[in-house]
Amino acid sequence: MVVLLTGGAGYIGSHTCLELLKQGYDVISVDNYCNASPEALRRVRELSGRDVKEYRLDLRDKQALRRVFEENKIDACVHFAGLKAVGESVSKPLDYYDNNLISTINLLELMAQFDVRNLVFSSSATVYGRADTMPLDESLKTWCYSPYGWTKFMIEQILRDAAFANQALSVVLLRYFNPVGAHPSGRIGEDPLGIPNNLIPFVTKVAIGELPKLVIYGNDYNTPDGTCRRDYIHVCDLAKGHVDAIRYCDSHTGCEAINLGTGVPYSVLEIVNSFMRVNQVDVPYSIGPRRPGDVDECWASTEKARRLLGWKAEKGLDDMMRDAWRWQQLNPKGYHG
Ligand code: NAD
Ligand code: UFG
């Protein structure tokens, strides 16, 4: 089976690529490298001992994308490609709507023209907005608070409509919670440009001495220790969820939203303390003001993923912390070292 990954060189794409190769799939990656390095796929080839066909192109260039469909017989697509920084999306909303929506529409049109019927989409827990009933289950009403979030919300709706109009289409909307960690080899991982926005890459850069200290954004939330709680999920568990979702698509039609999380929340303080304990390294921190837009807590209901995909996260917090630190130590400058 041939799987096309859009954004295949990115953080989640490269881990999924490796898992697909391991499970015997053939993989094609399309990426414009706006937030990735070709080195990631070079290392995926090295780890798997297999080849990945690679196209450097922007998904908004429909003619270029058409050639990928002309040159390959594709059985399924996993659509990772997109801009993903919540804060940046507030200051550059049009970039986010242009990149994320046009890319998706081009991909869908070409899938229809070339009769490709299976699609897995990278959605996000951000579509649950400020829901206050935990755990978050897929039947809850969705709503967003950033242009980035709205692109996920809109794409989910576009895909539901497309699957309704074309009864042969099978779509899985995977709503990721907080993907963290890296492949245990330490060869592939998350390589953010500049100062990271997300907690774990920030923590690893403080631990290695590249940043002076972590600021914890608020300790007056309505949570047991006052810091925000999130559902962190190991990126290798997430990658396996995509393979299960492709298998599910292949034997069903319609459109399903499915959470990928562990169902267990950890607070920012618990994360920092566990990182220091597991890795025996210090992470200086202070408590700062709240970051605008953060919700107190959020975690996934994992029942639907278990029921439909037979998927369940296997790795725990210690694995996430250990693997994130190994990646940072072995690649102090990411893929550009
Ligand atoms: P990433 O930035 O590492 O990967 C996205 C990839 O898409 C990059 O390699 C980038 O170069 C590529 N890309 C972007 N626009 C493109 C375009 N127009 N044409 C071709 N390639 C393009 O991000 P990631 O963390 O791997 O996330 C993958 C997907 O999962 C994204 O859609 C993201 O919104 C979603 N998601 C991520 C998280 C997270 O915390 N990492 C959480 C929820 C959802
Ligand atoms: N945090 C800090 N200090 C930092 C960075 C983060 O205290 O320097 C805290 C945040 O306030 C939050 C927690 O750590 O409480 C996690 O923050 P992240 O930025 O790592 O993750 P978010 O939960 O804010 O965001 C994630 C994804 C988004 C997605 C969002 C909603 O990165 O793509 O979940 O589901 F939109």
Side-chain angles (χ1 to χ4, degrees):
M1 189 168 181
V2 178
V3 182
L4 173 73
L5 306 183
T6 74
Y11 172 45
I12 304 169
S14 56
H15 287 80
T16 304
C17 184
L18 182 58
E19 186 61 32
L20 282 164
L21 293 168
K22 214 171 90 186
Q23 296 199 31
Y25 292 82
D26 292 316
V27 183
I28 302 167
S29 166
V30 167
D31 206 300
N32 65 357
Y33 300 101
C34 67
N35 194 37
S37 160
E39 176 64 11
L41 290 181
R42 200 191 65 71
R43 294 187 185 187
V44 166
R45 292 188 187 94
E46 169 200 288
L47 287 167
S48 65
R50 296 194 51 203
D51 197 18
V52 181
K53 200 163 175 183
E54 195 175 350
Y55 290 85
R56 177 189 283 261
L57 60 87
D58 193 308
L59 290 168
R60 288 168 295 178
D61 180 349
K62 196 170 173 190
Q63 281 314 106
L65 187 58
R66 176 186 300 280
R67 282 199 292 281
V68 180
F69 282 82
E70 284 167 353
E71 289 171 16
N72 301 280
K73 173 77 193 83
I74 295 161
D75 299 298
C77 299
V78 186
H79 183 33
F80 296 105
L83 300 178
K84 65 163 185 178
V86 177
E88 184 187 61
S89 80
V90 175
S91 55
K92 298 178 178 171
L94 299 186
D95 288 1
Y96 276 68
Y97 290 116
D98 177 57
N99 191 75
N100 295 1
L101 298 183
I102 305 291
S103 293
T104 305
I105 290 170
N106 284 347
L107 180 69
L108 272 179
E109 287 176 347
L110 288 165
M111 284 178 64
Q113 280 170 34
F114 288 83
D115 197 28
V116 180
R117 299 175 175 195
N118 300 316
L119 176 64
V120 176
F121 171 63
S122 298
S123 189
S124 164
T126 198
V127 299
Y128 291 113
R130 301 194 202 292
D132 48 15
T133 45
M134 296 295 152
L136 296 165
D137 85 70
E138 294 85 347
S139 64
L140 287 168
K141 196 174 154 296
T142 52
W143 192 256
C144 293
Y145 291 90
S146 71
Y148 165 73
W150 285 116
T151 69
K152 296 298 181 194
F153 179 101
M154 289 175 193
I155 293 169
E156 284 201 355
Q157 188 59 43
I158 290 169
L159 294 177
R160 263 185 230 110
D161 292 343
F164 181 77
N166 174 2
Q167 305 273 318
L169 195 61
S170 180
V171 179
V172 173
L173 313 169
L174 290 179
R175 294 178 177 163
Y176 311 154
F177 279 68
N178 288 55
V180 298
H183 190 262
S185 64
R187 295 293 288 156
I188 55 172
E190 186 171 13
D191 186 15
L193 291 171
I195 296 177
N197 299 310
N198 296 117
L199 179 63
I200 304 297
F202 204 102
V203 165
T204 62
K205 288 197 184 299
V206 172
I208 207 159
E210 197 179 314
L211 295 169
K213 68 166 184 179
L214 170 74
V215 176
I216 294 181
Y217 298 139
N219 66 351
D220 57 352
Y221 284 95
N222 187 19
T223 60
D225 66 20
T227 64
C228 294
R229 294 201 298 171
R230 295 286 182 274
D231 184 338
Y232 296 92
I233 171 168
H234 196 293
V235 67
C236 292
D237 277 335
L238 199 69
K240 288 185 180 158
H242 289 76
V243 185
D244 294 332
I246 292 168
R247 229 175 262 130
Y248 177 86
C249 277
D250 209 30
S251 52
H252 295 80
T253 55
C255 181
E256 291 286 352
I258 303 179
N259 291 338
L260 291 184
T262 64
V264 182
Y266 290 103
S267 73
V268 179
L269 273 173
E270 284 173 319
I271 291 289
V272 176
N273 287 328
S274 114
F275 185 90
M276 293 196 285
R277 173 182 53 78
V278 169
N279 297 314
Q280 293 296 301
V281 60
D282 193 31
V283 178
Y285 66 83
S286 65
I287 307 293
R290 290 182 175 204
R291 181 172 68 177
D294 279 345
V295 294
D296 295 47
E297 49 187 9
C298 93
W299 70 91
S301 161
T302 58
E303 201 276 324
K304 191 170 178 187
R306 193 192 48 72
R307 186 164 40 86
L308 297 195
L309 306 182
W311 176 91
K312 188 173 172 300
E314 286 161 2
K315 291 182 185 272
L317 189 59
D318 287 7
D319 301 305
M320 302 181 210
M321 299 301 114
R322 196 179 297 117
D323 292 339
W325 181 227
R326 186 183 299 108
W327 158 253
Q328 176 69 70
Q329 282 185 301
L330 293 177
N331 306 272
K333 303 246 174 295
Y335 289 117
H336 306 284

